[in-house]
């Protein structure tokens, strides 16, 4: 009887090992990934920096949480969701003051603040696209081929960039699109109002940095008031200055000055009248050409 009982016990132990514990046949298999709850919102291509990937992860976490688009959302004293405002041009925004969320640039601001530990992209879509923290810039004509996850996609014109989103890779982007919708993953909309993309420099900024003043200040293709317009600063903007030179004399705002500064992030010039500081900027080299 003892021998028979021992055999039964051994059989029970064997069955338990086979059905109630991980099998030797499955122990070496990788764990099956959990089903994504964020509709594919994740880094979808290689090549991004660790900070850019963290920015994507941050934005995608808000998608997974079902956060709303709110007009003006995300532009509080600190990065993060805020209650929105009513957009007088959009009836769908009537509930935005009741919803805690982000608009397009508020989401981008929050994503990179969490990724870097600093509020490096405070401002609207235009200010973010033309940030002095620019690692690379891409025109609409270049399409998606040179882009990496975390790059910023801008929509509008040089004088009015009205929308911005984060590239995921594989032709997808994460965005806060419009009132009445939640944050979402979308196909990148090329053509139409697509303006171009910018890669954010999350490291140290090289070169002298200054602040402009005034509103509606145009940069120029050459250091001349008659040169083609490139981009208008809607308000005071932080800019990186590569060099300065004496060129056409300008009289504006009660000042006269012939000094112009070259702004590498814009590939354009601006009269020193609209840069805070002396007429000839301290610490900025003279342009050699």
């Amino acid at each position: 009887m003892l021998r028979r009982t021992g055999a039964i016990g051994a059989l029970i132990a064997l069955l338990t090992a086979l059905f109630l514990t991980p099998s030797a046949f499955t122990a070496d298999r990788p764990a099956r990934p959990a089903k994504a709850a964020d509709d594919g919102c994740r880094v979808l291509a290689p090549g991004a920096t660790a900070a850019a990937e963290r920015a994507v992860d941050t934005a995608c976490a808000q998608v997974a949480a079902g956060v709303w688009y709110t007009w003006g959302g995300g532009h509080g004293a600190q990065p993060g969701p805020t209650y929105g405002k009513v957009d007088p041009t959009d009836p769908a925004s009537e509930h935005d003051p009741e919803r805690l969320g982000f608009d397009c640039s508020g989401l981008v601001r929050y994503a990179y603040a969490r990724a870097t530990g600093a509020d490096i992209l405070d401002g609207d879509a235009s200010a973010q696209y033309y940030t002095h923290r620019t690692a690379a810039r891409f025109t609409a004509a270049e399409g998606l081929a040179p882009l990496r996850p975390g790059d910023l996609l801008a929509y509008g014109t040089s004088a009015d960039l009205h929308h911005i989103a984060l590239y995921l890779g594989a032709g997808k982007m994460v965005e806060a699109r419009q009132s009445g919708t939640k944050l979402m993953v979308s196909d990148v909309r090329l053509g139409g109002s697509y303006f171009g993309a910018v890669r954010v420099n999350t490291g140290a900024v090289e070169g002298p940095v200054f602040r402009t003043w005034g509103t509606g200040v145009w940069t120029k293709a050459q250091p001349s008031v008659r040169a083609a317009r490139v981009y208008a600063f809607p308000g005071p903007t932080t800019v990186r200055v590569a060099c300065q030179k004496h060129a056409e004399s300008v009289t504006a705002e009660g000042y006269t000055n012939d000094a112009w500064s070259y702004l590498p992030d814009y590939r354009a010039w601006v009269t020193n009248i609209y840069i805070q500081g002396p007429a000839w900027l301290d610490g900025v080299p003279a342009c050699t050409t």
Side-chain angles (χ1 to χ4, degrees):
M1 291 294 291
L2 292 176
R3 292 175 60 185
R4 185 176 180 183
T5 301
I8 293 173
L11 178 60
I12 292 173
L14 177 61
L15 292 173
T16 300
L18 287 173
F19 295 105
L20 299 182
T21 61
S23 168
F25 295 103
T26 62
D28 292 335
R29 295 178 187 172
R32 185 175 182 178
K35 180 176 175 60
D38 56 5
D39 196 24
C41 192
R42 59 186 180 275
V43 173
L44 296 176
T49 65
E53 290 191 351
R54 289 194 297 270
V56 168
D57 290 343
T58 297
C60 287
Q62 300 303 297
V63 174
V67 174
W68 284 93
Y69 173 100
T70 58
W71 193 66
H75 293 285
Q78 299 296 326
T82 62
Y83 289 99
K85 305 174 184 178
V86 172
D87 178 354
T89 67
D90 184 4
S93 70
E94 61 176 329
H95 295 294
D96 286 6
E98 307 161 19
R99 292 169 172 165
L100 193 67
F102 298 97
D103 66 9
C104 62
S105 52
L107 177 63
V108 167
R109 177 195 183 193
Y110 178 68
Y112 268 96
R114 288 294 301 270
T116 63
D119 192 9
I120 65 172
L121 290 177
D122 188 10
D124 60 12
S126 182
Q128 290 174 344
Y129 181 80
Y130 284 110
T131 175
H132 66 287
R133 290 183 167 275
T134 299
R137 196 174 298 282
F138 309 97
T139 66
E142 292 176 271
L144 299 179
L147 302 188
R148 299 174 186 171
D151 289 349
L152 308 183
L153 307 169
Y155 293 81
T157 67
S158 62
D160 179 24
L161 293 175
H162 56 76
H163 187 61
I164 199 159
L166 279 165
Y167 188 56
L168 299 176
K172 300 288 186 178
M173 63 183 178
V174 55
E175 62 177 336
R177 186 168 182 179
Q178 62 192 37
S179 293
T181 67
K182 295 184 178 181
L183 309 188
M184 65 182 72
V185 174
S186 307
D187 292 330
V188 175
R189 297 181 292 277
L190 296 176
S193 65
Y194 176 59
F195 185 75
V198 65
R199 185 163 299 147
V200 180
N201 171 22
T202 57
V205 177
E206 297 181 0
V209 174
F210 290 85
R211 185 84 169 161
T212 68
W213 66 279
T215 58
V217 177
W218 280 96
T219 57
K220 299 285 190 171
Q222 298 295 329
S224 168
V225 294
R226 294 179 295 277
R229 292 174 168 181
V230 177
Y231 172 75
F233 295 128
T237 304
T238 301
V239 294
R240 208 162 51 96
V241 178
C243 63
Q244 59 188 334
K245 68 185 296 184
H246 293 290
E248 181 180 325
S249 181
V250 178
T251 298
E253 311 292 347
Y255 299 95
T256 298
N257 193 0
D258 70 346
W260 290 73
S261 287
Y262 181 70
L263 312 180
D265 298 325
Y266 302 80
R267 300 178 185 176
W269 297 82
V270 66
T271 169
N272 281 15
I273 290 174
Y274 288 105
I275 298 181
Q276 297 178 23
W280 185 258
L281 300 175
D282 296 332
V284 177
C287 301
T288 58
T289 58

